[in-house]
């Protein structure tokens, strides 16, 4: 197996080979153009991201600046919005579902390094996939660590460090991130009773 195949399969690999270096350079080149485009060049920005990411639908918006390692490991669902300074280290697959909201300064890490210092010096790495379910909301400054899945409809509070799976339909927060409560009918009732939307 090549190091790229090992990387995507979750096996130990070394990232300093020519192929992976070239692929990271390609992503950086595209992202440099993306991040420096005029704010009104929305269509051009989306076109650049379609060269880099696997995009499920046409409705998505990632605010610059945005950074990733490879791009081809990121699968973006339909109607995804990501605020400023999203960073995704996508050595393994990252699946972002439909209708997901991502706050500013969120970091999604699939890449990891050995605890043993000699193995780190030798350049060994590993990568584990990350999955974010449909309609999840990831609060600003959240860190999502390798191998984590976040459930559908779930809300992750700002500043969380997600080190383990979080189930569907909950509010979770903290460092390490833990479930605080389930989402229920009272959440809908609160907004219906206390907020007034235009035309309501």
């Amino acid at each position: 197996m090549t190091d790229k195949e090992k990387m995507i399969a979750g096996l130990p690999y070394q990232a300093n080979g020519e192929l992976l270096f070239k692929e990271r350079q390609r992503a950086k080149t595209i992202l440099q153009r993306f991040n420096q485009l005029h704010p009104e060049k929305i269509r051009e920005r989306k076109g650049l991201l379609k060269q880099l990411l696997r995009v499920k639908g046409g409705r998505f918006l990632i605010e610059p600046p945005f950074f990733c390692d490879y791009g081809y490991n990121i699968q973006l669902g339909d109607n995804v919005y990501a605020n400023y300074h999203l960073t995704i280290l996508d050595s393994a697959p990252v699946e972002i579902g439909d209708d997901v909201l991502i706050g500013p300064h969120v970091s999604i890490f699939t890449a990891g390094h050995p605890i043993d210092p000699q193995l780190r010096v030798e350049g060994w790495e590993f990568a584990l996939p990350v999955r974010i379910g449909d309609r999840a909301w990831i609060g600003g400054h959240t860190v999502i660590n390798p191998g984590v899945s976040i459930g559908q409809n779930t809300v992750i509070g700002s500043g969380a460090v997600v080190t383990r799976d979080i189930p569907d339909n909950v509010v979770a927060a903290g460092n390490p991130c833990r479930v605080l409560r389930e989402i229920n009918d009272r959440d809908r009732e609160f907004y219906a009773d206390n907020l007034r939307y235009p035309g309501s």
Side-chain angles (χ1 to χ4, degrees):
M1 296 177 73
T2 66
D3 279 314
K4 179 177 179 178
E5 291 168 334
K6 292 175 183 177
M7 176 183 79
I8 295 172
L11 300 173
Y13 71 98
Q14 292 184 309
N16 53 7
E18 183 177 355
L19 174 59
L20 291 178
F21 174 77
K22 284 183 176 179
E23 292 185 337
R24 290 193 301 273
Q25 291 297 96
R26 175 183 179 271
K28 289 176 186 176
T29 299
I30 292 172
L31 289 174
Q32 181 183 40
R33 292 169 59 197
F34 171 86
N35 289 327
Q36 293 180 351
L37 274 173
H38 190 278
E40 294 181 356
K41 302 286 188 180
I42 296 172
R43 183 176 297 177
E44 290 86 340
R45 287 208 309 270
K46 290 179 76 170
L48 287 169
L49 289 183
K50 286 180 178 179
Q51 297 177 34
L52 194 62
L53 314 179
R54 292 183 292 131
V55 178
K56 177 180 176 182
R59 299 182 301 161
F60 68 93
L61 182 61
I62 297 180
E63 303 283 5
F66 164 57
F67 305 98
C68 67
D69 278 339
Y70 300 98
Y72 54 70
N73 278 327
I74 301 170
Q75 178 176 303
L76 205 62
D78 190 37
N79 195 33
V80 171
Y81 175 78
N83 216 317
Y84 309 111
H85 288 278
L86 173 62
T87 298
I88 304 179
L89 304 187
D90 61 311
S91 299
V94 174
E95 298 179 12
I96 299 173
D98 297 342
D99 304 305
V100 169
L101 294 177
I102 299 175
H105 292 274
V106 168
S107 297
I108 301 172
F109 302 144
T110 69
H113 303 274
I115 299 298
D116 180 82
Q118 184 57 42
L119 293 175
R120 286 201 308 274
V121 169
E122 292 172 6
W124 289 102
E125 301 181 17
F126 66 90
L128 300 173
V130 168
R131 294 176 180 85
I132 300 174
D134 296 344
R135 298 173 302 280
W137 174 18
I138 311 300
H141 289 272
T142 292
V143 174
I144 301 173
N145 280 342
V148 165
S149 291
I150 294 172
Q152 295 185 359
N153 306 317
T154 285
V155 176
I156 304 295
S158 297
V161 179
V162 188
T163 60
R164 62 186 66 184
D165 291 353
I166 305 294
D168 296 346
N169 302 305
V170 298
V171 176
N175 180 7
C177 187
R178 66 190 187 283
V179 174
L180 302 180
R181 65 177 179 85
E182 292 186 352
I183 296 170
N184 55 49
D185 291 340
R186 292 187 61 192
D187 293 300
R188 182 181 293 273
E189 292 165 3
F190 171 84
Y191 282 96
D193 293 342
N194 295 289
L195 297 181
R196 295 294 178 262
Y197 296 99
S200 64

